Amino acid sequence: MAVAKMSLAKALNESLRRALDTDPKVLIMGEDVGKLGGVFRITDGLQKDFGEERVIDTPLAESGIVGTAIGLALRGYRPVVEIQFDGFVFPAYDQIVTQLAKMHARALGKIKLPVVVRIPYGGGIGAVEHHSESPEALFAHVAGLKVVSPSNASDAYWMMQQAVQSDDPVIFFEPKRRYWDKGEVDTEAIPGALHAASVARTGTDLTLAAYGPMVKVCLEAAAAAQEEGKSIEVVDLRSMSPIDFDTVQASVEKTGRLVVVHEAPVFYGSGAEIAARITERCFYHLEAPVLRVGGYHAPYPPARLEEEYLPGLDRVLDAVDRSLAY
Amino acid sequence: MTVESTAARKPRRSSKRTSAAKTPAKAPEGSAPELVQLLTPEGERVEHPDYSIDLTAEELRGLYRDMVLTRRFDAEATALQRQGELGLWASLLGQEAAQIGSGRALHDDDYVFPTYREHGVAWCRGVDPTNLLGMFRGVNHGGWDPNSNNFHLYTIVIGSQTLHATGYAMGVAKDGADSAVIAYFGDGASSQGDVAEAFTFSAVYNAPVVFFCQNNQWAISEPTERQTRVPLYQRAQGFGFPGVRVDGNDVLACLAVTRSALERARRGEGPTLVEAFTYRMGAHTTSDDPTKYRADEERAAWEAKDPILRLRAYLEKQGAADEAFFTALDEESEALGKRVREAVRAMPDPDRMAMFDHIYADGNPLVDEERAQFAAYQASFAEEGE
Ligand SMILES: Cc1ncc(C[n+]2csc(CCOP(=O)(O)OP(=O)(O)O)c2C)c(N)n1
């Protein structure tokens, strides 16, 4: 049977296993990815089965991890590197932004940079500082990178396969608070394109657009709204760069309303880009301005306040009401 | 998948070549480092030509008390995490001598840049231990005023603080002050670019800073050999300043070596790297599971080098402490445990509006707007009677 129920974390593990199995050039690199299997156990058992040549514990140096992955990629390898937590990607940000993203263009397309940077991101797990952030917009702003985030086990499995096979660098944001959520994975399915959005729930009154950890919240909000007789469509963007605006547009042309939801701060966030583009594309279809729900222009707060900071069901429904009130 | 480009290239790798991925062998024979030691694991006093120390019985008891209370505090915090009162705890178990020895070497006007495990150093600086718990409970991101004890906030991003310490020390030198700065970090941190840059800057500007690396043998699951092929203290040489390895479980040696390094800094002779060779007895943090990567026997071997037992043996041999001292200290420990427990349980959740406080020193209209929106949104629940 090709269909199995597994957690999002397990789906990533199985996907990485398959990638290592399929292509001898695939490497896993990062802090604690070997014996420990990563702090979230995403690489659990991989070093045992593929050896230290393929699953490499690196020194504690993020710039080093990404910088050497670039070199390995130039030599024909396909490194999949793990950044332990969102807040620790910044020592590597320089390598990602100034080097990884631009090298293909600088070499007139003659070299390829098939590097995947895996980043567990987002809040909701009661962690300390630097362990709950959503820096996706900082990467999506940079040309040359693909930025994606699965919201469920099946997408985790397939998007990781596609990310590894991509000849472009992919920043792969893993919604850490969904790691333990289970879903069905068909390991023989034919997946949609990596950048394609999917309609996670159909509806006619309003569109909720989200990705990663917020898709579940939006589905719950849509279910709650249904009880009040409101029909909400939920679009799972899956990719934050590029964004599949066609799917969003089609949905908004149907519903006339859009609310974008993400954990990252609203100010200069991905919701701003979506709101602007959809306003351009759907001006005459919109019944209300595109609204955004997300984090505040404040540092991610200490754990005891994160429930206030993160968009929850209530805040999403509040935005739905505000949109419908126009 | 497109890997043709390299498939075409002939791999010239001979099977003899050592791979970068393998854990390298231990440092070559003969480079075995000198370990400054003044107190053997059995509690015997030994002399070292460069680092002499002569402490009164009272001072020795003081160091012992510091270590015992720090360990008690740490154990209480670990227990509180298990009871769900703290979200996380980074234990210093086993590293008491490194922290108390170096911490007691400091002058009041010296400045400390810690990581997230320096509870013993905080103790020496007079920071109320309960203040250290706020960030682990999740009620704040720091919880103390760095300037009131010259003890900077804990830094979670590995290695960052070594540069801050260096810059601060550059400022000290510019001011013509005769204080020194100390930066704490781990063996894992030594791999970070920031640490290398801190070494470069401090050497170039002759900054009065002591780099105090607690080599506790592990960076989560990775052993020191995964970070370096030479003994860490030897790194300093390449940057142009001295490095010294000290027995990190020997509080007297840690005190003497740090004191000497701080004095060197105060004299305007620049930075020193101190590598305190020690051991993390517990897990990396309460989230970690060391059974996945580390053998029990290793811990057992280090238990024989316990810093507290070692000093106790010496105190007893010297007749520097009597039964009454130990009994009183036990009571003091229990009282500290109780105080910490009660303080944590009583620690209130922050006011939700605090999220918007202190984001900009100058204030900011966007923050003001979002604060007002948030307040109105919260108030709407109250109106609905929820
Ligand atoms: C830049 C960065 N990368 C990764 C981490 C995650 N992390 C936290 S502690 C740690 C190991 C640190 O080891 P070491 O420097 O030896 O200090 P120790 O905790 O052993 O005292 C890691 C990898 C981090 N905090 N910051």
Side-chain angles (χ1 to χ4, degrees):
Chain A
M1 248 277 278
V3 181
K5 195 158 183 167
M6 63 181 85
S7 67
L8 193 152
K10 181 70 180 159
L12 289 169
N13 178 269
E14 289 291 330
S15 187
L16 291 171
R17 173 176 293 281
R18 179 167 172 174
L20 285 163
D21 231 356
T22 314
D23 182 351
K25 294 291 180 186
V26 171
L27 304 175
I28 309 279
M29 296 167 61
E31 296 159 11
D32 304 294
V33 298
K35 270 204 184 116
L36 187 64
V39 292
F40 288 108
R41 309 288 184 265
I42 305 303
T43 56
D44 204 21
L46 298 181
Q47 189 181 65
K48 193 168 136 277
D49 296 341
F50 294 93
E52 292 186 15
E53 287 282 333
R54 307 280 312 278
V55 181
I56 305 166
D57 269 332
T58 64
L60 208 177
E62 287 76 10
S63 182
I65 293 170
V66 173
T68 56
I70 291 172
L72 282 157
L74 294 175
R75 179 69 193 177
Y77 286 90
R78 305 183 86 85
V80 180
V81 309
E82 174 173 304
I83 299 293
Q84 207 154 66
F85 277 93
D86 36 64
F88 307 145
V89 70
F90 296 104
Y93 194 65
D94 169 40
Q95 285 289 343
I96 294 173
V97 171
T98 66
Q99 307 302 324
L100 184 62
K102 297 182 165 69
M103 238 177 237
H104 176 70
R106 289 176 56 221
L108 310 176
K110 298 298 179 203
I111 55 174
K112 290 168 182 157
L113 278 303
V115 176
V116 179
V117 181
R118 296 180 37 234
I119 309 177
Y121 83 120
I125 63 162
V128 293
E129 217 185 355
H130 311 299
H131 290 70
S132 303
E133 288 166 22
S134 300
E136 62 272 16
L138 298 175
F139 295 90
H141 194 65
V142 178
L145 302 175
K146 292 183 187 172
V147 183
V148 304
S149 179
S151 70
N152 58 62
S154 175
D155 277 353
Y157 183 88
W158 283 112
M159 289 167 72
M160 180 60 76
Q161 292 297 304
Q162 293 166 318
V164 174
Q165 284 160 24
S166 167
D167 282 332
D168 289 312
V170 180
I171 313 299
F172 198 97
F173 280 103
E174 300 173 2
K176 66 170 90 80
R177 71 163 138 154
R178 304 291 175 228
Y179 271 150
W180 303 280
D181 287 3
K182 289 195 168 174
E184 287 199 341
V185 178
D186 180 350
T187 55
E188 283 165 21
I190 296 166
L194 180 59
H195 73 277
S198 73
V199 177
R201 177 188 172 111
T202 53
T204 51
D205 297 339
L206 180 144
T207 302
L208 286 174
Y211 49 84
M214 278 297 133
V215 173
K216 186 176 179 181
V217 173
C218 289
L219 287 170
E220 285 167 1
Q226 183 77 48
E227 286 170 21
E228 298 167 11
K230 297 165 196 157
S231 169
I232 310 284
E233 181 147 307
V234 178
V235 175
D236 182 351
L237 293 172
R238 299 167 80 250
S239 171
M240 289 89 84
S241 178
I243 290 175
D244 175 6
F245 286 109
D246 291 349
T247 299
V248 185
Q249 178 176 356
S251 178
V252 173
E253 282 177 0
K254 180 170 67 167
T255 65
R257 291 182 163 82
L258 176 64
V259 176
V260 189
V261 184
H262 51 62
E263 286 190 14
V266 165
F267 191 60
Y268 276 97
S270 46
E273 181 62 38
I274 296 164
R277 298 261 177 174
I278 291 303
T279 303
E280 268 178 42
R281 285 182 176 221
C282 306
F283 192 67
Y284 294 106
H285 291 275
L286 283 168
E287 309 279 347
V290 180
L291 300 182
R292 292 169 290 159
V293 183
Y296 303 103
H297 190 60
Y300 193 89
R304 298 266 170 158
L305 285 183
E306 69 178 340
E307 289 308 321
E308 310 283 352
Y309 177 92
L310 291 168
L313 204 58
D314 285 333
R315 276 176 61 202
V316 175
L317 289 172
D318 179 67
V320 167
D321 288 346
R322 277 189 288 130
S323 176
L324 288 169
Y326 275 91
Chain B
M1 287 176 221
T2 44
V3 287
E4 301 84 358
S5 56
T6 49
R9 246 181 250 154
K10 270 256 165 312
R12 254 175 288 134
R13 188 145 73 88
S14 89
S15 54
K16 271 183 263 151
R17 194 183 286 184
T18 347
S19 156
K22 289 216 186 84
T23 303
K26 297 263 184 251
E29 229 41 74
S31 69
E34 270 233 302
L35 189 71
V36 178
Q37 192 179 69
L38 298 176
L39 196 59
T40 69
E42 295 72 36
E44 300 293 343
R45 208 38 194 86
V46 287
E47 294 304 325
H48 189 283
D50 302 329
Y51 300 100
S52 68
I53 198 162
D54 191 17
L55 299 177
T56 64
E58 192 188 347
E59 286 168 326
L60 290 169
R61 285 195 302 273
L63 293 173
Y64 183 78
R65 174 178 173 273
D66 287 337
M67 289 200 290
V68 167
L69 293 180
T70 301
R71 181 171 289 188
R72 182 67 185 84
F73 165 68
D74 186 69
E76 192 60 42
T78 303
L80 285 164
Q81 195 281 334
R82 299 274 178 254
Q83 292 158 19
E85 299 287 348
L86 299 178
L88 182 81
W89 183 244
S91 166
L92 64 31
L93 186 64
Q95 301 179 216
E96 294 86 353
Q99 296 197 12
I100 300 301
S102 59
R104 285 297 176 212
L106 297 163
H107 292 176
D108 281 350
D109 60 352
D110 292 340
Y111 212 105
V112 179
F113 287 85
T115 70
Y116 42 78
R117 206 191 286 286
E118 270 66 73
H119 322 313
V121 185
W123 171 265
C124 295
R125 298 307 283 172
V127 177
D128 184 334
T130 60
N131 283 352
L132 304 176
L133 299 169
M135 66 183 282
F136 293 99
R137 187 174 170 84
V139 302
N140 59 44
H141 286 321
W144 61 89
D145 171 2
N147 289 328
S148 57
N149 302 73
N150 282 10
F151 185 79
H152 190 67
L153 301 169
Y154 276 2
T155 300
I156 289 180
V157 179
I158 299 294
S160 287
Q161 77 282 3
T162 56
L163 280 166
H164 312 154
T166 300
Y168 194 95
M170 288 160 61
V172 167
K174 278 189 195 303
D175 293 345
D178 66 353
S179 48
V181 179
I182 188 164
Y184 288 86
F185 58 105
D187 49 309
S190 71
S191 295
Q192 287 285 353
D194 274 6
V195 174
E197 294 181 26
F199 288 178
T200 299
F201 274 68
S202 65
V204 165
Y205 295 109
N206 206 40
V209 57
V210 175
F211 296 107
F212 195 90
C213 177
Q214 288 170 87
N215 178 357
N216 64 9
Q217 313 301 325
W218 292 91
I220 311 189
S221 74
E222 300 189 0
T224 309
E225 299 89 77
R226 185 53 29 167
Q227 316 294 338
T228 180
R229 300 226 39 194
V230 300
L232 279 172
Y233 76 99
Q234 290 179 2
R235 288 255 181 103
Q237 203 192 348
F239 288 90
F241 54 89
V244 51
R245 180 179 271 186
V246 58
D247 183 340
N249 287 19
D250 172 352
V251 71
L252 301 186
C254 289
L255 176 60
V257 166
T258 313
R259 202 176 253 172
S260 149
L262 289 165
E263 273 159 17
R264 197 183 115 83
R266 285 190 201 102
R267 284 196 304 269
E269 292 169 28
T272 304
L273 170 61
V274 177
E275 178 192 3
F277 204 73
T278 181
Y279 191 70
R280 186 191 89 206
M281 300 284 267
H284 168 70
T285 66
T286 44
S287 301
D288 176 40
D289 174 11
T291 62
K292 297 271 281 183
Y293 54 83
R294 164 171 113 169
D296 288 346
E297 303 85 71
E298 187 185 293
R299 184 189 150 127
W302 277 91
E303 255 162 27
K305 302 181 194 172
D306 188 294
I308 296 186
L309 297 180
R310 178 184 306 204
L311 185 57
R312 181 170 181 135
Y314 180 59
L315 286 174
E316 285 171 347
K317 272 181 213 156
Q318 289 291 102
D322 57 11
E323 213 37 53
F325 167 76
F326 292 114
T327 313
L329 185 52
D330 282 347
E331 281 163 20
E332 199 181 356
S333 292
E334 279 323 298
L336 175 66
K338 185 160 177 280
R339 177 164 83 82
V340 167
R341 197 157 59 240
E342 283 168 1
V344 166
R345 293 203 171 125
M347 204 177 270
D349 280 356
D351 184 289
R352 33 166 92 105
M353 298 313 290
M355 238 176 354
F356 300 99
D357 292 346
H358 309 300
I359 299 173
Y360 295 92
D362 288 342
N364 180 289
L366 174 63
V367 174
D368 294 343
E369 185 188 327
E370 291 196 350
R371 181 195 282 117
Q373 281 168 357
F374 182 76
Y377 176 67
Q378 295 297 332
S380 71
F381 289 103
E383 280 157 25
E384 287 166 24
E386 278 181 42

